[in-house]
Amino acid sequence: MSSSSSKLPLKPIPGDYGLPFFGPIKDRLDYFYFQGEDKFFEDRIHKYNSTIFKTNMPPGPFISSNPKVITVLDAVSFPILFDTSKVEKRDVFVGTYFPSVSFTGGYRICSYLDPSEAKHSSLKSWFLSTIASKHDKFIPLLRTCLSELFIELEDKMSEKGEANFNTLNDTMAFSFFFRLFCDQNPADTAIGSEGTSFANKWVFLQLAPLITLRLPKILNCVEDFLLHTFPLPSLIAKSDYQKLYDAFYKYAGSILDEAERLGIKRDEACHNLVFLSNFNSYGGLKTFFPALIKWVGLAGEELHRQLADEIRTVVKAEGGVTFAALEKMVLTKSVVYEALRIEPPVPYQYGKAKTDMVIHSHDAAFEVKKGEMIFGYQPLATKDPRVFENPEEFVGHRFVGEGEKLLKYVFWSNGRETDDPTADNKQCPAKDLVVLLARVLLVEFFLHYDTFTVEGGELLLGSSATIKSLTKATTI
C-alpha cells in the first residue's frame, strides 16, 4: 500500500441491494430498460458520490443465486480484479451466473477456472505455447483473410453504396482462427459457410442473460422473462456445437497431440480449443474490429491521412508488412490502444474476495469482506477523468511519446496493457495477438484505401460499423 493510499479516509461502502428478490429485479430493469448500462452506473456514481458502491448485477433471479456486487469503477480500484492472490476467479467469467457445462462437453473450461485450480496452469500453458507456435502465420494469414474481406467490401459498396462491416468481419474472423488452429479453410470442411452462424448461436445462448434485444418498450417484459429469468438450454445449439467440435477434433490433431503430451485429456483439450477459438478469439474480434473501424472512421480524414502516411512510409522502408515494421508505426499502435481504451471488447470483470481487504478509489478506502463479489465495468474505468484528459473523446495520438505512460491504465485484457499473460494469472492468453491483429487490420486497410466514412450503431454486444463511402488508395 502506498503512503498516499494509506492516508485515505476509511468509509462504509455506500448503496444497498434492496429487498430480497425485488431489489435485484428493480436493478435488472433499470440496467436493461429504464436507464441502460452506462447511465445505470453513472447515476449511482453521482448519487453516492463514489465510484465504489453496492448494487445488484443482472441477471439476478432465477439464473443467478447471488446478484450482489461491490462495484469498482475507477482506474485506481479496478485493478484489484487482476490480483488473484486477493480475488477468486472461479466460475465468474461471464458474471454472477455460470452457464451449464453442457455447452462445453461437460467440462469447466479454462476461462472459468481460478489459477489456484490444478488444471488452470496446464490448460493456460498449453494455450500460450499453442499461440506462440503459430507466430509465423499471424501476419500472412490475416493479410490473406483481409484481402478476401476487401473484395467482398468493394463488391457490397458497388452493389449497394454501403457495406455492413460486421457481417464481413464475422466471416473473416472465423476463417482466420479456424485456419490458424486447424490449417484448413472452413469452406473446405463440413462446416462450409455456416461457421459464424454455429458460433454465434452457441455464444448467444450463453450470454443471453446479459443481453437486451432493444425491442419496442411494449415487449420489454416478454424479453426480460425469456432472456433474463431462466437459462436458455444448450440443446438449442447442440448439433451446431457438435459440428464445430468435430471439425476441430479432425483438423487440429497436432495441437491436441501436444495437449495429451502435457497430460490433458484429448476431448477436454478439444472442448477448450473450441472455446478459445470461437468464444474468446472469434468473439473478441467480432466485437473489437467493428469498434476499431467505427472509431477510426468517425475520427475523420485527417487521422486517415496521418495513418496512411505512416503505414505506407514504414512498409516501403521495411520492404513489407513485418513485425519490425509494425513496431515502428507509433501512431498505428496508439490508435489501436485508444480503441481498446474507449470501447474494450469485454466490458465486465468479476472476482470474489478471498479474504477481508481494503480497496481504494481516488478519494477513499473501503472494507470488503471475504466472499463478497467485486465487479468492474471497464468502459468507465478506462475513461476515468482523473487519469485521461477528454476521456470520452477518441484521441488517436493519445499513447504516442509520453502518452505511453498511460498504457498501464488500459485494462481491456483482464490485466494492464503493460502486463503479460502467464499460466498463473487470468490475463487473456491472446492479448498480444489481438493487438497485433488490430494493427495489421489498420495497415492493410490504409494500404488499400485513403479514407472512408462510417455510420456507427449498437448491437446486442458491441458496436456496428456500416461503411458509407470508400476512397481507394492513390499512392502505395
Side-chain angles (χ1 to χ4, degrees), residues 292-313:
L292 176 61
I293 290 296
K294 180 193 76 172
W295 286 107
V296 172
L298 295 176
E301 195 166 345
E302 176 62 19
L303 178 63
H304 303 169
R305 182 190 62 77
Q306 294 171 357
L307 283 168
D309 286 348
E310 175 183 80
I311 288 165
R312 295 170 194 178
T313 299

Side-chain angles (χ1 to χ4, degrees), residues 130 134 177-183 248 252 255 273 276-277:
T130 296
K134 301 292 184 178
F177 285 111
F178 192 87
R179 294 185 197 188
L180 182 68
F181 293 124
C182 296
D183 294 315
F248 277 82
I255 296 176
L273 185 61
L276 175 68
S277 180

Side-chain angles (χ1 to χ4, degrees), residues 38 45 51 72-79 82 295 336-349 362 376-395 398-399 406-417:
D38 284 2
I45 289 173
T51 51
V72 287
L73 303 179
D74 60 78
V76 174
S77 60
F78 194 94
F82 310 146
W295 286 107
V336 170
Y337 292 137
E338 178 68 344
L340 288 166
R341 179 198 72 84
I342 202 166
E343 191 173 338
V346 178
Y348 321 110
Q349 291 292 341
H362 288 285
Y377 182 59
Q378 282 180 151
L380 290 186
T382 55
K383 289 186 283 190
D384 186 336
R386 305 275 286 270
V387 172
F388 294 105
E389 185 177 353
N390 302 319
E392 299 289 339
E393 180 182 348
F394 183 87
V395 180
R398 189 184 295 276
F399 299 102
L406 294 172
L407 285 176
K408 64 182 179 180
Y409 299 110
V410 178
F411 301 144
W412 69 275
S413 61
N414 199 5
R416 297 182 186 272
E417 182 56 37

Side-chain angles (χ1 to χ4, degrees), residues 29 54-55 88 154-155 160 169 216 241 244 252 302 321 329 343 348 350 381 389 410 433 438 445 462-463:
L29 295 175
K54 299 175 182 177
T55 191
E88 183 184 68
E154 293 179 20
D155 286 347
K160 298 183 178 180
N169 178 68
Y241 178 76
L244 291 173
E302 176 62 19
V321 180
M329 298 176 187
E343 191 173 338
Y348 321 110
Y350 288 84
E389 185 177 353
V410 178
L433 175 59
F445 198 96
S463 292

Side-chain angles (χ1 to χ4, degrees), residues 317-364:
E318 293 293 316
V321 180
T322 63
F323 289 105
L326 293 171
E327 278 302 307
K328 293 183 178 180
M329 298 176 187
V330 293
L331 178 60
T332 304
K333 289 195 290 184
S334 177
V335 165
V336 170
Y337 292 137
E338 178 68 344
L340 288 166
R341 179 198 72 84
I342 202 166
E343 191 173 338
V346 178
Y348 321 110
Q349 291 292 341
Y350 288 84
K352 187 174 292 186
K354 288 185 174 181
T355 184
D356 293 350
M357 69 178 81
V358 175
I359 56 176
H360 304 87
S361 66
H362 288 285
D363 304 309

Side-chain angles (χ1 to χ4, degrees), residues 136-151:
D136 292 340
K137 295 184 66 174
F138 297 156
I139 294 176
L141 179 57
L142 185 61
R143 295 188 75 193
T144 296
C145 293
L146 286 173
S147 68
E148 296 167 0
L149 182 152
F150 294 148
I151 292 171

